[in-house]
Amino acid sequence: RAQITAIALCPQSGLIGAVSYHSLYILSAQSSDNDDDYPYTWSLSHTLSIGSRVACATFNNDGKELIVTGSELLIYRTEDWKCVWSTHLTDETSQVTVSPDGRFFTTLSRNSKVLKLW
């Protein structure tokens, strides 16, 4: 079993990204036929193996991209889970946040506490 260290939720699609060190597990929502109060269930739809440690992730505002950070910064396109951009970071990040207008995102360095605007 994987130890989950962070979660990302996409309100537009219902996707959940579960971060676990060198992996990112994508869970997709499906309608449930149960008469329960909650009409959805989630199941594993993709596993992304990351070559470096992953600390956190977030979906962009329209849900079309997933930003993954740790010792690298990676952007995945959610339509096919292809990595469309990546860069190595000199200081591992601990947080990532997308701006309200979706034009920028910020990362916070774990050790130096440097906030970067991308």
Side-chain angles (χ1 to χ4, degrees):
R1 289 193 160 207
Q3 181 179 356
I4 304 302
T5 58
I7 296 287
L9 174 64
C10 181
Q12 294 79 4
S13 65
L15 291 172
I16 295 174
V19 173
S20 176
Y21 298 109
H22 295 278
S23 298
L24 188 65
Y25 303 99
I26 307 299
L27 298 109
S28 299
Q30 291 91 31
S31 295
S32 173
D33 293 333
N34 295 339
D35 291 331
D36 296 339
D37 292 334
Y38 206 72
Y40 297 99
T41 59
W42 279 262
S43 62
L44 183 65
S45 60
H46 294 86
T47 300
L48 304 175
S49 295
I50 313 294
S52 60
R53 181 169 143 42
V54 179
C56 55
T58 192
F59 289 92
N60 71 343
N61 293 353
D62 63 10
K64 293 181 180 178
E65 294 177 329
L66 178 65
I67 303 165
V68 179
T69 66
S71 54
E72 288 185 273
L73 177 61
L74 306 112
I75 299 178
Y76 287 90
R77 186 172 51 215
T78 59
E79 107 185 5
D80 57 6
W81 297 108
K82 181 180 178 184
C83 182
V84 295
W85 188 81
S86 67
T87 189
H88 181 76
L89 301 171
T90 56
D91 190 6
E92 185 174 297
T93 58
S94 61
Q95 294 181 27
V96 60
T97 305
V98 177
S99 66
D101 65 5
R103 293 178 49 206
F104 305 100
F105 62 93
T106 60
T107 56
L108 178 64
S109 298
R110 179 177 305 277
N111 298 318
S112 65
K113 303 299 181 203
V114 171
L115 182 70
K116 288 187 180 180
L117 178 66
W118 300 83

PDB file of all heavy atoms in Angstrom, residues 32-45:
ATOM      1  N   SER A  32     -22.944   6.187  -8.975  1.00  0.00           N
ATOM      2  CA  SER A  32     -23.228   4.971  -8.229  1.00  0.00           C
ATOM      3  C   SER A  32     -24.733   4.716  -8.255  1.00  0.00           C
ATOM      4  O   SER A  32     -25.532   5.639  -8.202  1.00  0.00           O
ATOM      5  CB  SER A  32     -22.748   5.130  -6.786  1.00  0.00           C
ATOM      6  OG  SER A  32     -23.140   4.036  -6.010  1.00  0.00           O
ATOM      7  N   ASP A  33     -25.113   3.463  -8.341  1.00  0.00           N
ATOM      8  CA  ASP A  33     -26.534   3.096  -8.334  1.00  0.00           C
ATOM      9  C   ASP A  33     -27.063   2.901  -6.924  1.00  0.00           C
ATOM     10  O   ASP A  33     -28.220   2.563  -6.746  1.00  0.00           O
ATOM     11  CB  ASP A  33     -26.754   1.809  -9.144  1.00  0.00           C
ATOM     12  CG  ASP A  33     -26.472   2.026 -10.625  1.00  0.00           C
ATOM     13  OD1 ASP A  33     -26.612   3.168 -11.093  1.00  0.00           O
ATOM     14  OD2 ASP A  33     -26.113   1.055 -11.308  1.00  0.00           O
ATOM     15  N   ASN A  34     -26.211   3.106  -5.950  1.00  0.00           N
ATOM     16  CA  ASN A  34     -26.643   2.936  -4.561  1.00  0.00           C
ATOM     17  C   ASN A  34     -27.640   4.012  -4.181  1.00  0.00           C
ATOM     18  O   ASN A  34     -27.659   5.098  -4.739  1.00  0.00           O
ATOM     19  CB  ASN A  34     -25.435   3.016  -3.613  1.00  0.00           C
ATOM     20  CG  ASN A  34     -24.481   1.872  -3.830  1.00  0.00           C
ATOM     21  OD1 ASN A  34     -24.851   0.844  -4.377  1.00  0.00           O
ATOM     22  ND2 ASN A  34     -23.247   2.054  -3.401  1.00  0.00           N
ATOM     23  N   ASP A  35     -28.461   3.711  -3.222  1.00  0.00           N
ATOM     24  CA  ASP A  35     -29.413   4.692  -2.703  1.00  0.00           C
ATOM     25  C   ASP A  35     -28.808   5.501  -1.567  1.00  0.00           C
ATOM     26  O   ASP A  35     -29.521   6.129  -0.801  1.00  0.00           O
ATOM     27  CB  ASP A  35     -30.679   3.975  -2.209  1.00  0.00           C
ATOM     28  CG  ASP A  35     -31.466   3.380  -3.365  1.00  0.00           C
ATOM     29  OD1 ASP A  35     -31.381   3.939  -4.480  1.00  0.00           O
ATOM     30  OD2 ASP A  35     -32.154   2.366  -3.167  1.00  0.00           O
ATOM     31  N   ASP A  36     -27.482   5.492  -1.489  1.00  0.00           N
ATOM     32  CA  ASP A  36     -26.789   6.234  -0.436  1.00  0.00           C
ATOM     33  C   ASP A  36     -26.975   7.733  -0.639  1.00  0.00           C
ATOM     34  O   ASP A  36     -27.421   8.197  -1.676  1.00  0.00           O
ATOM     35  CB  ASP A  36     -25.294   5.910  -0.440  1.00  0.00           C
ATOM     36  CG  ASP A  36     -25.027   4.450  -0.115  1.00  0.00           C
ATOM     37  OD1 ASP A  36     -25.903   3.807   0.488  1.00  0.00           O
ATOM     38  OD2 ASP A  36     -23.946   3.961  -0.479  1.00  0.00           O
ATOM     39  N   ASP A  37     -26.568   8.481   0.362  1.00  0.00           N
ATOM     40  CA  ASP A  37     -26.639   9.936   0.291  1.00  0.00           C
ATOM     41  C   ASP A  37     -25.642  10.501  -0.716  1.00  0.00           C
ATOM     42  O   ASP A  37     -25.803  11.613  -1.176  1.00  0.00           O
ATOM     43  CB  ASP A  37     -26.378  10.553   1.665  1.00  0.00           C
ATOM     44  CG  ASP A  37     -27.498  10.257   2.639  1.00  0.00           C
ATOM     45  OD1 ASP A  37     -28.634  10.034   2.182  1.00  0.00           O
ATOM     46  OD2 ASP A  37     -27.228  10.241   3.856  1.00  0.00           O
ATOM     47  N   TYR A  38     -24.591   9.738  -1.022  1.00  0.00           N
ATOM     48  CA  TYR A  38     -23.565  10.223  -1.942  1.00  0.00           C
ATOM     49  C   TYR A  38     -23.596   9.374  -3.205  1.00  0.00           C
ATOM     50  O   TYR A  38     -23.301   8.175  -3.153  1.00  0.00           O
ATOM     51  CB  TYR A  38     -22.191  10.188  -1.273  1.00  0.00           C
ATOM     52  CG  TYR A  38     -21.266  11.195  -1.874  1.00  0.00           C
ATOM     53  CD1 TYR A  38     -21.437  12.548  -1.635  1.00  0.00           C
ATOM     54  CD2 TYR A  38     -20.245  10.810  -2.727  1.00  0.00           C
ATOM     55  CE1 TYR A  38     -20.608  13.493  -2.206  1.00  0.00           C
ATOM     56  CE2 TYR A  38     -19.411  11.749  -3.298  1.00  0.00           C
ATOM     57  CZ  TYR A  38     -19.596  13.083  -3.033  1.00  0.00           C
ATOM     58  OH  TYR A  38     -18.780  14.013  -3.614  1.00  0.00           O
ATOM     59  N   PRO A  39     -23.942   9.952  -4.355  1.00  0.00           N
ATOM     60  CA  PRO A  39     -24.200   9.165  -5.567  1.00  0.00           C
ATOM     61  C   PRO A  39     -22.975   8.830  -6.418  1.00  0.00           C
ATOM     62  O   PRO A  39     -23.120   8.462  -7.569  1.00  0.00           O
ATOM     63  CB  PRO A  39     -25.151  10.081  -6.348  1.00  0.00           C
ATOM     64  CG  PRO A  39     -24.711  11.458  -5.964  1.00  0.00           C
ATOM     65  CD  PRO A  39     -24.287  11.346  -4.518  1.00  0.00           C
ATOM     66  N   TYR A  40     -21.739   8.966  -5.876  1.00  0.00           N
ATOM     67  CA  TYR A  40     -20.536   8.699  -6.666  1.00  0.00           C
ATOM     68  C   TYR A  40     -19.601   7.731  -5.965  1.00  0.00           C
ATOM     69  O   TYR A  40     -19.593   7.640  -4.737  1.00  0.00           O
ATOM     70  CB  TYR A  40     -19.757   9.998  -6.936  1.00  0.00           C
ATOM     71  CG  TYR A  40     -20.528  10.991  -7.745  1.00  0.00           C
ATOM     72  CD1 TYR A  40     -21.188  12.048  -7.131  1.00  0.00           C
ATOM     73  CD2 TYR A  40     -20.614  10.875  -9.124  1.00  0.00           C
ATOM     74  CE1 TYR A  40     -21.910  12.964  -7.876  1.00  0.00           C
ATOM     75  CE2 TYR A  40     -21.332  11.788  -9.874  1.00  0.00           C
ATOM     76  CZ  TYR A  40     -21.975  12.827  -9.247  1.00  0.00           C
ATOM     77  OH  TYR A  40     -22.695  13.727  -9.983  1.00  0.00           O
ATOM     78  N   THR A  41     -18.818   7.038  -6.767  1.00  0.00           N
ATOM     79  CA  THR A  41     -17.702   6.246  -6.268  1.00  0.00           C
ATOM     80  C   THR A  41     -16.480   6.632  -7.093  1.00  0.00           C
ATOM     81  O   THR A  41     -16.615   7.149  -8.207  1.00  0.00           O
ATOM     82  CB  THR A  41     -17.959   4.736  -6.398  1.00  0.00           C
ATOM     83  OG1 THR A  41     -18.173   4.422  -7.777  1.00  0.00           O
ATOM     84  CG2 THR A  41     -19.158   4.302  -5.583  1.00  0.00           C
ATOM     85  N   TRP A  42     -15.301   6.397  -6.559  1.00  0.00           N
ATOM     86  CA  TRP A  42     -14.067   6.715  -7.266  1.00  0.00           C
ATOM     87  C   TRP A  42     -13.269   5.443  -7.466  1.00  0.00           C
ATOM     88  O   TRP A  42     -13.261   4.571  -6.600  1.00  0.00           O
ATOM     89  CB  TRP A  42     -13.231   7.719  -6.465  1.00  0.00           C
ATOM     90  CG  TRP A  42     -13.679   9.123  -6.633  1.00  0.00           C
ATOM     91  CD1 TRP A  42     -13.144  10.056  -7.465  1.00  0.00           C
ATOM     92  CD2 TRP A  42     -14.760   9.776  -5.987  1.00  0.00           C
ATOM     93  NE1 TRP A  42     -13.824  11.239  -7.374  1.00  0.00           N
ATOM     94  CE2 TRP A  42     -14.828  11.087  -6.467  1.00  0.00           C
ATOM     95  CE3 TRP A  42     -15.706   9.363  -5.029  1.00  0.00           C
ATOM     96  CZ2 TRP A  42     -15.772  11.999  -6.034  1.00  0.00           C
ATOM     97  CZ3 TRP A  42     -16.648  10.269  -4.606  1.00  0.00           C
ATOM     98  CH2 TRP A  42     -16.677  11.572  -5.104  1.00  0.00           C
ATOM     99  N   SER A  43     -12.618   5.357  -8.611  1.00  0.00           N
ATOM    100  CA  SER A  43     -11.743   4.215  -8.869  1.00  0.00           C
ATOM    101  C   SER A  43     -10.464   4.705  -9.539  1.00  0.00           C
ATOM    102  O   SER A  43     -10.448   5.747 -10.212  1.00  0.00           O
ATOM    103  CB  SER A  43     -12.448   3.172  -9.735  1.00  0.00           C
ATOM    104  OG  SER A  43     -12.778   3.715 -10.986  1.00  0.00           O
ATOM    105  N   LEU A  44      -9.401   3.946  -9.365  1.00  0.00           N
ATOM    106  CA  LEU A  44      -8.098   4.293  -9.924  1.00  0.00           C
ATOM    107  C   LEU A  44      -8.173   4.233 -11.443  1.00  0.00           C
ATOM    108  O   LEU A  44      -8.545   3.208 -12.020  1.00  0.00           O
ATOM    109  CB  LEU A  44      -7.031   3.330  -9.405  1.00  0.00           C
ATOM    110  CG  LEU A  44      -5.602   3.610  -9.843  1.00  0.00           C
ATOM    111  CD1 LEU A  44      -5.115   4.937  -9.273  1.00  0.00           C
ATOM    112  CD2 LEU A  44      -4.693   2.473  -9.396  1.00  0.00           C
ATOM    113  N   SER A  45      -7.831   5.347 -12.103  1.00  0.00           N
ATOM    114  CA  SER A  45      -7.867   5.377 -13.565  1.00  0.00           C
ATOM    115  C   SER A  45      -6.480   5.513 -14.187  1.00  0.00           C
ATOM    116  O   SER A  45      -6.263   5.063 -15.310  1.00  0.00           O
ATOM    117  CB  SER A  45      -8.773   6.504 -14.062  1.00  0.00           C
ATOM    118  OG  SER A  45      -8.311   7.759 -13.617  1.00  0.00           O
TER     119      SER A  45
END
